[in-house]
């Protein structure tokens, strides 16, 4: 159907799921990733893949020469190299390099959102010194969150400064990283919304979901979020406005905190498919991955694209993380395969404790029923009444 070739910077699980969605539409994809056997390359037979870094200028240029459109599955890419490749070859880049540059620095991202009147978790630029961190304590009180501005994921780059005595350790843990500090957000829930932005700047939001983290890593996602309609709609509105403020097209994941007074603030934005949007594969009209491909290639995006498949759809997504006993996570996947209305997605990665190896989607007509199935899959109940 399409003759365009899409180059993807990064070949992890998000790249793999973009490849799957693109191939159903006959859209060719080419991967730039160091690993020769990365999750995205495994399922995409092509001689054109490049074994190189998404931070290597020459490798990015080489990729651009083979493609009509470049996209990313990770924001930690070399933006100047992307701009150079765009100028040299005329390749389209979505999300736009300007957007990636702002988002990949979490503090610049906050400043950008603030200047666009989007509520964010209160934060301040900080130098890596004992005195500077003490002044933040005096300003925000304890605990507060110290964060790396760049290269952060799964909470690696965050340090909770419980009191002044923890400052030396905070400086050691986040040594050599540009920092900023955030006021502690006493959230009652973490919410997230996937937002699609078309080339002509229209935005479409997916339903509001609730993310539950364990040890800073997403454990489960409840779709829709277990909050009232007003909060759900407010979250979608905030997420749409946040994404509308960034140039370029594609899918974005917007993470938010719901505060005790029901106020919502943005935590951070990802300019790419997001873990909190994996439920869309089974629960929505169009998955976040297909939606991304359609947005960046200019394919049609009808009105209901981002809705639940049916008005009564409920879903839970459970991440498959590497168990402390190698491969023990496989038992959970086997139980999921025994469970009606559960689908298992594995990413072709080797096991390591805490590593994201796959996810399981459970879809049903009620959240209670999804929870019952989840409980069996997690081994908390021994039998599932069907
Ligand atoms: P991701 O994998 O989502 O990119 P990350 O490394 O960029 O993660 P954040 O999203 O900034 O990290 O924070 C990780 C988690 O830490 C949040 O989901 C939330 O549970 C908690 N957290 C972050 N900021 C704050 C804050 N200001 N107050 C309280 N908790 C916070
Ligand atoms: Mg992040
Ligand atoms: Mg986050």
């Amino acid at each position: 159907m399409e003759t365009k070739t899409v180059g993807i910077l990064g070949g992890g699980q998000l790249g793999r799921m973009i490849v799957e969605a693109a191939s159903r539409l006959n859209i060719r994809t080419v991967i730039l990733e160091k690993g020769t056997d990365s999750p995205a390359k495994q399922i995409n037979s092509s001689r054109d893949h490049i074994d190189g870094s998404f931070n290597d200028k020459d490798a990015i240029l080489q990729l651009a020469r083979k493609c009509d459109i470049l996209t990313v599955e990770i924001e930690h890419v070399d933006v100047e190299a992307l701009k150079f490749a765009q100028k040299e070859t005329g390749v389209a880049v979505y999300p736009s390099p300007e957007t990636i540059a702002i988002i990949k620095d979490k503090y610049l991202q906050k400043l950008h959102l603030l200047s666009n009147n989007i509520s964010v978790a209160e934060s301040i630029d900080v130098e890596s010194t004992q005195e500077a961190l003490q002044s933040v304590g005096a300003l925000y009180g304890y605990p507060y969150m110290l964060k790396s501005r760049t290269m952060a994921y799964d909470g690696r780059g965050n340090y909770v400064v419980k009191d002044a005595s923890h400052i030396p350790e905070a400086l050691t843990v986040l040594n050599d990283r540009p920092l900023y500090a955030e006021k502690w957000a006493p959230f009652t829930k973490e919410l997230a919304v996937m937002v699609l932005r078309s080339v002509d700047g229209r935005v479409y939001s997916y339903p509001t979901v609730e993310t539950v983290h364990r040890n800073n890593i997403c454990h489960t996602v409840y779709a829709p979020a277990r909050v009232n309609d007003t909060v759900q709609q407010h979250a979608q509105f905030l997420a749409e406005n946040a994404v509308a403020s960034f140039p370029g097209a594609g899918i974005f994941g917007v993470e938010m905190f719901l505060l005790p007074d029901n106020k919502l603030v943005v935590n951070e934005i990802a300019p790419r498919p997001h873990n909190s949007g994996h439920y869309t594969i089974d629960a929505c009209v169009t998955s976040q991955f297909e939606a991304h491909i359609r947005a960046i290639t200019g394919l049609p995006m009808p009105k209901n694209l981002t809705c639940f498949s049916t008005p009564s759809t409920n879903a839970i997504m459970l991440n498959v993380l590497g168990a402390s006993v190698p491969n023990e996570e496989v038992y959970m996947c086997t139980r999921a395969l025994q469970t009606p209305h559960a689908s298992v997605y594995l990413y072709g990665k080797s096991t390591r404790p805490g590593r994201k190896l796959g996810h399981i989607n459970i879809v049903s007509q009620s959240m209670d029923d999804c929870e019952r199935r989840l409980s069996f899959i997690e081994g908390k109940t021994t039998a599932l009444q069907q």
Side-chain angles (χ1 to χ4, degrees), residues 334-356:
T334 308
R335 281 195 300 273
L337 292 175
Q338 295 162 6
T339 308
H341 307 288
S343 311
V344 179
Y345 298 81
L346 294 172
Y347 305 149
K349 290 158 78 173
S350 56
T351 185
R352 203 169 58 214
R355 193 175 194 203
K356 284 179 184 165

Side-chain angles (χ1 to χ4, degrees), residues 60-363:
I60 293 177
L61 185 60
Q62 216 186 319
L63 181 72
R65 293 216 158 99
K66 297 173 186 237
C67 301
D68 305 290
I69 300 162
L70 293 187
T71 191
V72 301
E73 62 127 40
I74 181 164
E75 56 274 32
H76 310 303
V77 298
D78 187 326
V79 173
E80 289 313 312
L82 266 181
K83 285 185 186 163
F84 178 75
Q86 195 176 29
K87 217 167 116 209
E88 280 293 297
T89 66
V91 72
V93 184
Y94 297 122
S96 84
E98 292 75 17
T99 295
I100 300 172
I102 296 168
I103 288 182
K104 72 185 279 199
D105 180 330
K106 289 167 80 172
Y107 186 63
L108 280 187
Q109 187 193 129
K110 288 244 155 60
L111 294 181
H112 169 91
L113 291 170
L114 273 178
S115 68
N116 283 278
N117 296 319
I118 309 292
S119 309
V120 293
E122 204 180 322
S123 49
I124 189 167
D125 194 11
V126 67
E127 278 178 33
S128 300
T129 65
Q130 172 88 25
E131 299 71 45
L133 295 196
Q134 264 169 348
S135 333
V136 174
L139 184 69
Y140 285 166
Y142 296 96
Y144 70 82
M145 189 66 105
L146 191 62
K147 292 191 177 183
S148 172
R149 289 172 65 142
T150 56
M151 302 298 288
Y153 71 100
D154 289 345
R156 295 171 211 211
N158 287 359
Y159 187 96
V160 180
V161 186
K162 294 200 184 93
D163 57 54
S165 73
H166 286 82
I167 290 175
E169 188 177 283
L171 288 170
T172 311
V173 173
L174 297 177
N175 179 30
D176 287 341
R177 304 184 72 166
L179 302 177
Y180 77 103
E182 257 178 48
K183 196 168 181 174
W184 191 255
F187 56 79
T188 53
K189 279 184 192 295
E190 292 193 74
L191 305 181
V193 173
M194 298 305 306
V195 179
L196 188 64
R197 194 179 198 275
S198 64
V199 174
D200 57 11
R202 279 172 298 145
V203 287
Y204 307 75
S205 56
Y206 276 93
T208 301
V209 303
E210 179 182 340
T211 58
V212 179
H213 290 76
R214 280 192 193 162
N215 303 322
N216 283 305
I217 300 184
C218 177
H219 174 250
T220 35
V221 171
Y222 291 77
R226 295 164 298 179
V227 294
N228 66 39
D229 289 355
T230 312
V231 174
Q232 283 189 26
Q233 283 159 20
H234 183 192
Q236 284 179 300
F237 181 71
L238 181 62
E240 282 177 14
N241 283 343
V243 171
S245 74
F246 290 101
I251 193 91
F252 293 74
V254 184
E255 300 176 13
M256 286 162 277
F257 296 142
L258 177 63
L259 300 174
D261 58 359
N262 268 1
K263 209 178 148 232
L264 278 166
V265 292
V266 172
N267 169 29
E268 62 164 348
I269 297 182
R272 53 168 169 79
H274 192 257
N275 198 171
S276 70
H278 292 353
Y279 78 96
T280 61
I281 300 174
D282 292 294
C284 293
V285 172
T286 309
S287 80
Q288 61 165 342
F289 302 101
E290 182 177 331
H292 180 63
I293 283 291
R294 281 160 78 150
I296 68 174
T297 54
L299 285 172
M301 297 199 290
K303 213 169 150 211
N304 66 350
L305 185 87
T306 55
C307 296
F308 278 126
S309 310
T310 71
S312 57
T313 296
N314 282 264
I316 295 180
M317 191 264 349
L318 170 68
N319 268 335
V320 178
L321 301 178
S324 45
V325 176
N327 294 316
E328 209 178 62
E329 65 281 348
V330 171
Y331 297 117
M332 196 169 78
C333 297
T334 308
R335 281 195 300 273
L337 292 175
Q338 295 162 6
T339 308
H341 307 288
S343 311
V344 179
Y345 298 81
L346 294 172
Y347 305 149
K349 290 158 78 173
S350 56
T351 185
R352 203 169 58 214
R355 193 175 194 203
K356 284 179 184 165
L357 303 177
H359 71 269
I360 295 165
N361 280 343
I362 307 166
V363 181

